[in-house]
């Protein structure tokens, strides 16, 4: 991965070169930056509390530091994520939700943390000309955040490449990295007014990790 989270050292490393479009630009509206690089940073932070990161304490020691109730709730919600992503098929190939659990949990956490960080930033800088500028296509700030998140993983892939991703990558293919977390995001449903029963807000149990 380009943005590794190191469990033993509880550290995150972001290459300087990533701080350019489409991930970040100082002239971009804050919603665009938080929807892209903000969600990526939130993704790496969440690795400290995913199916693997939860096994290590603040000093990087492998120890079970979670209480039984918290651990039980986490495992139950993580299973929801496993089952959810295992139902996806991309280019004729079934995703393996169990293999991808850590990255899918991190993607979901990244979206949530990135959105909260953006909202806090907007409140703190209320009246800033840059964030008050006209948004494209009449979109709201939250909508731009989610569009930027989707644009981050925008890719055109042939079936053979998708097959390689499904078979050997711990990340879901790009399409599912976008649709999966957003389908399970109440904030996304509210931002785009997705009625229950539509593809991005299906009926039944949805996976909310935190």
């Amino acid at each position: 991965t380009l943005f590794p989270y190191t469990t033993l050292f509880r550290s995150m490393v972001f290459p300087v070169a990533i701080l350019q479009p489409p991930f970040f630009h100082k002239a971009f509206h804050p919603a665009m930056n938080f929807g892209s690089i903000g969600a990526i940073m939130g993704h790496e932070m969440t690795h400290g509390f995913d199916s693997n990161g939860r096994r290590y304490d603040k000093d990087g020691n492998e120890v079970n530091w979670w209480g039984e109730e918290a651990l039980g709730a986490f495992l139950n919600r993580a299973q929801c994520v496993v089952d959810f992503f295992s139902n996806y098929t991309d280019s004729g190939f079934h995703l393996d939700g169990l293999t991808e659990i850590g990255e899918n949990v991190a993607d979901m956490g990244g979206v949530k943390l990135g959105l909260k960080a953006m909202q806090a930033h907007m409140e703190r800088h209320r009246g800033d000309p840059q964030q008050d500028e006209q948004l494209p296509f009449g979109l709201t700030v939250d909508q731009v955040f989610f569009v930027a998140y989707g644009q981050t993983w925008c890719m055109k892939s042939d079936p053979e490449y998708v097959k390689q991703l499904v078979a050997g990558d711990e990340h879901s293919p790009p399409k599912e990295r976008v649709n999966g977390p957003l389908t399970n995001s109440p904030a996304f449903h509210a931002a785009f007014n997705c009625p229950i029963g539509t593809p991005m807000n299906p009926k039944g149990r949805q996976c909310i990790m935190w």
Side-chain angles (χ1 to χ4, degrees), residues 39-205:
I40 288 172
M41 290 179 172
H43 170 107
E44 299 304 332
M45 290 178 65
T46 305
H47 272 313
F49 305 91
D50 67 11
S51 53
N52 182 55
R54 68 167 182 82
R55 303 175 188 275
Y56 297 83
D57 65 14
K58 63 182 179 62
D59 299 314
N61 298 312
E62 187 171 5
V63 59
N64 182 22
W65 56 281
W66 288 23
E68 290 186 10
E69 183 177 356
L71 179 56
F74 173 87
L75 293 176
N76 182 55
R77 296 184 183 198
Q79 186 61 49
C80 178
V81 176
V82 170
D83 295 340
F84 181 87
F85 279 87
S86 292
N87 284 323
Y88 272 129
T89 300
D90 192 326
S91 301
F93 305 105
H94 279 286
L95 273 60
D96 185 346
L98 183 59
T99 299
E100 301 168 352
I101 179 60
E103 297 299 334
N104 289 333
V105 166
D107 280 339
M108 294 170 70
V111 169
K112 191 166 188 175
L113 289 174
L115 181 63
K116 285 184 174 293
M118 182 203 72
Q119 293 170 339
H121 174 88
M122 298 292 287
E123 180 63 28
R124 190 162 56 248
H125 295 275
R126 186 186 297 273
D128 186 323
Q130 184 183 27
Q131 71 177 30
D132 288 339
E133 67 186 34
Q134 185 69 34
L135 294 172
F137 309 112
L139 298 177
T140 67
V141 171
D142 284 3
Q143 287 174 338
V144 169
F145 171 91
F146 290 117
V147 169
Y149 175 74
Q151 178 179 281
T152 300
W153 304 114
C154 182
M155 182 183 297
K156 184 173 179 61
S157 307
D158 62 37
E160 282 302 310
Y161 179 67
V162 173
K163 180 180 180 180
Q164 292 179 25
L165 290 179
V166 172
D169 197 327
E170 294 181 348
H171 301 82
S172 294
K175 179 180 178 180
E176 287 70 38
R177 290 196 74 172
V178 175
N179 288 351
L182 300 191
T183 298
N184 290 286
S185 170
F188 174 82
H189 304 155
F192 286 95
N193 191 28
C194 301
I196 296 176
T198 53
M200 293 299 291
N201 188 11
K203 293 181 179 179
R205 180 186 181 192

